Amino acid sequence: VTLTNGEISELLALTAGGHEGNKQRAARRAAHSALTWPVEVGELVDGHGDVRSLRSVGPWIATLIEAWLADPPEPPPPGELRAGFRSYAWARDVLRQEPSWREAVRGDLQMHTTFSDGSLSVAAMARAGVDRGYEYISITDHSKGLAIAGGMDESVLARQAEDIANVNLALEAAGSDLRVLRSLEMNLGTAGEGDMERDAVRRLDVVIGSFHSQLRSKDDQTERYLAGLRNPDIQILGHPRCRMWNRRTGMKADWKRVFEEAASLDKAIEVDAHPNRQDIDIDLLGLARESGVRISIGTDAHNSEEMRFMDIGLAAVAEAHIPRERILNYMPAGKLLEWSASLREG
Ligand SMILES: [Zn+2]
């Protein structure tokens, strides 16, 4: 029996809790990075690979991991702030067994650029989308209410539209099939209301609505979600639980009601595939499947390297047996745009 990266991550998180200062930071960083390592450490070591080649693994962390692998401790149950998270290596294993999930996917529906808090331009993210063989990527920078993430106001959104149009022209001239979709991660208030002028939002191809405030509320938030879904300007509810690995457990709701409302409105629930979020996760995806709701997968990438986390979202929907016809990312761009237009005009 060997330890998985998820179990090693948990052991490292517990190690961090037993130290202070530099050691605590190193263990916490490695616990987080373990979710993003490309291979299972056990396999790496079996193949005579070096643990130190992995992100955030210095000499001390390497010694810990090598000792755990040599004599595996009983894997601890994950702490409340880390329960339900899977690793990127796990996702790759799932997709190795079911490669069609990756082969058939057409695009990534959440990512950020320098127009808000991302680190690359629209053009650079588009190149990464071409490299991944996508048919479309959706640029979902933050809206103006989220100042901390450099949210865009209407004038910046209009400038971004010009940039995206130019990138699309350049892609077409180069013979690429990739199309960059105009989107937005619109900040929703607790009553489900948006923070942008409706005229500006209605010109977009597709809109995600997300909550970013009062996320630690312990009370049931069902009404907040229903109100958000009923906002006529959004088509996708972004990272619904708003949980964050090792920081926030996420909000509570009657998810069955939330998913059924989304299904009856024909709106989509997001699987934010970023390793820090994994929101919604496999457990809730089971409930989502029963409701028949549409699913949208987005990596929430803030650079091109993070676009690989699509695998985490794909493995989650594969494990939850979501029918592909319910997943936006398997729709051709034309069908996707028809769907969002019908909701906008609905
Ligand atoms: Zn967000």
Side-chain angles (χ1 to χ4, degrees):
V1 180
T2 179
L3 296 167
T4 66
N5 288 4
E7 289 162 349
I8 289 171
S9 170
E10 186 60 27
L11 286 165
L12 288 165
L14 293 174
T15 302
H19 288 87
E20 287 177 356
N22 286 340
K23 279 195 162 177
Q24 182 177 65
R25 277 191 293 278
R28 194 179 286 154
R29 203 179 312 121
H32 178 252
S33 291
L35 296 179
T36 73
W37 292 335
V39 289
E40 291 287 353
V41 183
E43 286 173 28
L44 180 73
V45 170
D46 283 349
H48 306 287
D50 187 357
V51 179
R52 289 159 192 79
S53 66
L54 299 168
R55 186 177 291 179
S56 309
V57 179
W60 176 55
I61 299 291
T63 311
L64 289 175
I65 293 174
E66 282 162 355
W68 289 330
L69 289 173
D71 183 14
E74 184 68 27
E80 194 193 7
L81 291 170
R82 299 180 296 274
F85 285 86
R86 305 296 180 101
S87 74
Y88 175 58
W90 165 84
R92 291 185 68 184
D93 274 341
V94 170
L95 298 178
R96 202 168 294 129
Q97 288 155 41
E98 298 183 76
S100 67
W101 286 92
R102 196 195 276 134
E103 288 157 10
V105 75
R106 294 174 189 266
D108 184 337
L109 293 171
Q110 196 197 156
M111 67 186 64
H112 300 264
T113 72
T114 46
F115 277 96
S116 65
D117 59 350
S119 58
L120 293 176
S121 64
V122 170
M125 293 303 266
R127 274 194 296 277
V130 170
D131 290 344
R132 298 187 65 86
Y134 286 153
E135 198 175 301
Y136 48 84
I137 58 169
S138 194
I139 302 294
T140 59
D141 280 304
H142 292 285
S143 60
K144 65 184 176 188
L146 204 64
I148 195 170
M152 303 178 290
D153 63 15
E154 289 77 3
S155 69
V156 179
L157 185 65
R159 260 203 286 129
Q160 185 181 57
E162 287 171 28
D163 189 32
I164 290 177
N166 288 332
V167 169
N168 277 331
L169 283 173
L171 285 166
E172 211 182 314
S176 166
D177 292 330
L178 185 92
R179 172 164 179 188
V180 180
L181 303 182
R182 290 190 58 204
S183 186
L184 179 70
E185 184 182 3
M186 184 162 70
N187 197 42
L188 298 179
T190 50
E193 77 283 16
D195 62 345
M196 299 284 278
E197 283 167 24
R198 293 195 64 194
D199 277 355
V201 175
R202 291 178 60 84
R203 266 178 244 137
L204 300 172
D205 292 320
V206 63
V207 180
I208 299 178
S210 302
F211 295 109
H212 294 105
S213 55
Q214 296 183 45
L215 306 179
R216 290 171 192 272
S217 175
K218 293 285 171 220
D219 304 328
D220 181 283
Q221 300 293 309
T222 306
E223 293 305 322
R224 187 205 296 212
Y225 288 113
L226 298 180
L229 284 167
R230 289 170 190 151
N231 181 320
D233 298 330
I234 73 142
Q235 294 90 40
I236 301 168
L237 180 66
H239 51 69
R241 293 177 59 194
C242 303
R243 70 173 183 172
M244 197 68 96
W245 182 83
N246 218 12
R247 273 175 50 194
R248 265 198 320 262
T249 52
M251 297 189 282
K252 289 192 186 68
D254 179 346
W255 291 108
K256 188 167 180 288
R257 261 186 85 201
V258 174
F259 297 157
E260 282 172 356
E261 178 70 10
S264 78
L265 292 165
D266 198 27
K267 295 193 177 183
I269 295 290
E270 188 182 52
V271 172
D272 184 314
H274 197 283
N276 292 354
R277 290 195 179 266
Q278 305 188 31
D279 182 6
I280 57 176
D281 64 4
I282 295 173
D283 287 348
L284 280 184
L285 273 167
L287 208 56
R289 182 191 62 233
E290 286 166 26
S291 73
V293 71
R294 290 187 193 272
I295 298 293
S296 170
I297 311 172
T299 57
D300 205 350
H302 285 66
N303 55 56
S304 57
E305 195 252 346
E306 290 182 339
M307 286 167 75
R308 69 190 164 109
F309 297 135
M310 176 56 73
D311 284 357
I312 294 178
L314 296 178
V317 293
E319 286 282 286
H321 304 290
I322 305 292
R324 279 191 206 161
E325 60 269 23
R326 301 310 296 164
I327 303 172
L328 302 183
N329 310 65
Y330 291 97
M331 289 164 89
K335 289 277 174 217
L336 179 70
L337 296 176
E338 265 173 40
W339 164 76
S340 64
S342 75
L343 289 178
R344 209 163 32 241
E345 288 144 22

